[in-house]
Structures are given as C-alpha cells and as structure tokens.
Amino acid sequence: MPPFSVLRSVSDFNRACGLLALALVGASASLPAAPPPPSTAAVSAVAGAALAKAKTAAEETPLSLPGAETFVYRTVEDISVRLHVFKPAGWRPGDRRSALVYFFGGGWTHGTPLQAAGWARWAAARGMVGMAPDYRVKNRAGTSPLEAVSDGRAALRWVEDLAIELGIDRSRIAVAGSSAGGHLALWTAISHTPPGSDPSLAPTVKPAALILLSAVSDTSVATGYTPARFGENATALSPVHQLDPRMPPMLVFHGDADQTVPQAQSLALRDKLLSTANVCEFVNVPGGAHSFTSQPGWREKSESLAEGFLKEQGLLPAQPHS
C-alpha cells in the first residue's frame, strides 16, 4: 500500500484507515486496564485531612486582634494567656455595661480567638463590651481539656475582678461558646471546682446568661463525647452531670444533622434544666451540621435570636437607664 503522502484514490484512503483502526484496537487491548477513579467520599476525606493538617500547622497564637485591646489574664509555665476586648462606641471607664464573653471551639485541640472575634464585635456593635478569650489547646500548648476548662474559669474571674476598669457590671455578663467553647461556657456557671482547675481562680458571680452553639455538654464514659480524652475525669468534667440546682438562663442551638457532637447532648441538657425549673430555650437547626452558622441564613438567624434572648434577660440595652 502506498504511504499516506502518496494516496491517490478513495479506496486507497479507506483501506489505510481500516488498517490504522485495527492497529489501534490491538494496541489498546494490550494495555493494562486503568484503575477506577476514587470515590467522591474518598477524595473528600483525603482533601479534608490535608486541609485540617495544613490548618493545624499554620495555626498560631494571635498576640492581638484588629479593633481590640488585649490583656494577659494569666501566665502558666511561661505561657501568657490573653483576652481580647472590643469596646463599643461611647465606652468610658466606670460604665456599667453588659458584656459578652465568647469562647471559640476546636475540640480543646485547635482554634484561636480569631474564631470568637465576630461574636465579640457583634456584641460591641450593640453597646456591650465584647470579649474573645484565648485558652490553652493541645496543638498550641500541648495541653488537655482540663487546662482549657481551667483557663475558661480563670478568664471569667479576671473579667469580674477588672469589671470597673472594663466598664462593665459584673452581674450582667453573658458567656457564650461553640462546640468545646460551649463546654467551657457551661463550666463558668458551675459552682464547684472541676479537676485540674484552681479554686482561687473560680468565678465568684454566675453568668447572667449562657448562649451555646453545638456545645459539648456531656463527656461522661457512658454517653459522652470523646470520654477517653478525659481519662478518669470524664464524668467529673461532664457539665450535664455537674449542674448546680440553679443555672443561668440558656439559649441553646444545635443542628439535627450534627455528625460531630450529637444533638442528643443538647436535648438531654435542655430536659435536665427544665426538670429542675431552670430556663432553657432550645433552637433546632433543621439539617444543621456542627458548624451550622456557615449554612445559608443561619448566622443572621442565630444573631437575631441571641439579640432577642439578651433583651429578655435584661442585658440589652447594654447600659442601664439612669
């Protein structure tokens, strides 16, 4: 057969194409079968793990936050633990404003006050003093949940002791938190000192209210979230098992699709509070994941409901009428 460059008829061309097709089929038959593509779930899992690893490696302790005044509220083994204060317009020393202290989440392992700054600024925009405390976590300080709880309680005690300088009324402090931060928030309202905490740094006044988002409220051996991380202290550090007879009014958000901390934890907390005549407003987030505020509309809705709740508790307006 003449080469393609000198094909002179249609029949020559068709015969050449047929031979070429047979050659290609034979070549493909001799190649090994391509492996099947990885599943979407496998790709997501690998990507998620890589993202989490990169996030952890890049996480640093912020020494300041834009728009905030920063204080060191305790120093432990050469670690300075900071609290970032967002003051509202018109703030003056000696004010008797309400305040919102918001603890970030992260499983007592990662996270920084950057995650709490949004809620602290939200509070300041409404005339409150907003605060975003840091606390020791495993990835940045090599610590366990016991130290995180200890820092949370010490942070609120520091705020109470500095109330006049901060321009707040120590009896009008709301405490909030998400996930593990909600666990810390609950422990600022429980009277007895938990394992690993210093009784001399315990809060002396209960928070005026608590706002919890996807909170860890049960770490017990039988029904709790990651009890192995607490060892023999799992139940002793489980807020739902250690509640005082009288607890602050609570607003509790939890998604019914939370695959990290089951919604059943918040429902059990609500039921126990209501059974002892305490106030607990529970908000179900339909289809809500653990970080439900990133889902469309839920950041705005949670803020609106939180504002209404703070008004019900007399914490808004932030300044009492003279």
Side-chain angles (χ1 to χ4, degrees):
M1 184 187 74
F4 290 138
S5 58
V6 294
L7 289 178
R8 301 186 182 279
S9 68
V10 173
S11 60
D12 286 343
F13 178 78
N14 290 338
R15 186 165 58 255
C17 288
L19 292 172
L20 179 60
L22 288 172
L24 291 174
V25 169
S28 64
S30 65
L31 294 174
S39 67
T40 301
V43 172
S44 297
V46 171
L51 181 61
K53 185 176 181 180
K55 180 178 178 181
T56 297
E59 198 166 67
E60 295 181 357
T61 300
L63 303 183
S64 62
L65 293 179
E69 186 175 358
T70 300
F71 302 86
V72 173
Y73 70 86
R74 76 182 303 193
T75 301
V76 186
E77 297 178 352
D78 298 326
I79 297 176
S80 296
V81 194
R82 294 170 172 80
L83 183 145
H84 308 275
V85 179
F86 294 83
K87 296 175 179 176
W91 177 92
R92 295 174 300 175
D95 283 351
R96 295 181 59 82
R97 295 176 184 267
S98 57
L100 177 71
V101 178
Y102 193 99
F103 292 102
F104 63 86
W108 312 279
T109 298
H110 58 86
T112 78
L114 284 168
Q115 298 163 228
W119 277 99
R121 292 189 182 97
W122 174 88
R126 283 151 183 81
M128 306 175 77
V129 176
M131 305 186 196
D134 199 359
Y135 58 90
R136 287 171 291 166
V137 295
K138 182 179 179 181
N139 287 348
R140 292 187 285 122
T143 48
S144 75
L146 280 76
E147 287 78 17
V149 171
S150 174
D151 287 348
R153 290 167 64 84
L156 183 58
R157 174 60 181 270
W158 183 89
V159 171
E160 291 175 354
D161 290 347
L162 274 291
I164 294 176
E165 291 87 342
L166 294 170
I168 64 175
D169 182 342
R170 62 204 301 264
S171 69
R172 302 180 72 229
I173 302 171
V175 180
S178 58
S179 193
H183 181 262
L184 268 63
L186 280 162
W187 269 109
T188 67
I190 296 172
S191 297
H192 77 269
T193 302
S197 291
D198 184 345
S200 71
L201 297 178
T204 58
V205 180
K206 277 188 182 293
L210 296 180
I211 301 175
L212 309 177
L213 294 83
S214 308
V216 176
S217 55
D218 184 351
T219 60
S220 68
V221 174
T223 57
Y225 174 75
T226 63
R229 299 174 64 189
F230 295 83
E232 63 182 10
N233 296 308
T235 301
L237 278 170
S238 179
V240 74
H241 293 85
Q242 308 296 335
L243 299 174
D244 291 354
R246 304 310 308 158
M247 293 293 292
M250 297 189 201
L251 175 63
V252 178
F253 297 87
H254 214 128
D256 59 15
D258 191 334
Q259 298 298 306
T260 303
V261 179
Q263 190 192 64
Q265 287 214 1
S266 288
L267 292 173
L269 174 65
R270 176 202 62 183
D271 293 347
K272 188 165 187 178
L273 289 165
L274 295 180
S275 72
T276 52
N278 285 288
V279 174
C280 181
E281 298 181 21
F282 177 78
V283 179
N284 174 52
V285 183
H290 191 57
S291 301
F292 69 87
T293 54
S294 64
Q295 296 175 211
W298 269 100
R299 176 72 190 208
E300 296 79 7
K301 186 169 184 177
S302 60
E303 290 175 348
S304 176
L305 291 171
E307 184 167 2
F309 175 72
L310 293 173
K311 288 178 180 177
E312 289 175 4
Q313 306 312 318
L315 300 175
L316 288 177
Q319 284 265 55
H321 297 296
S322 55

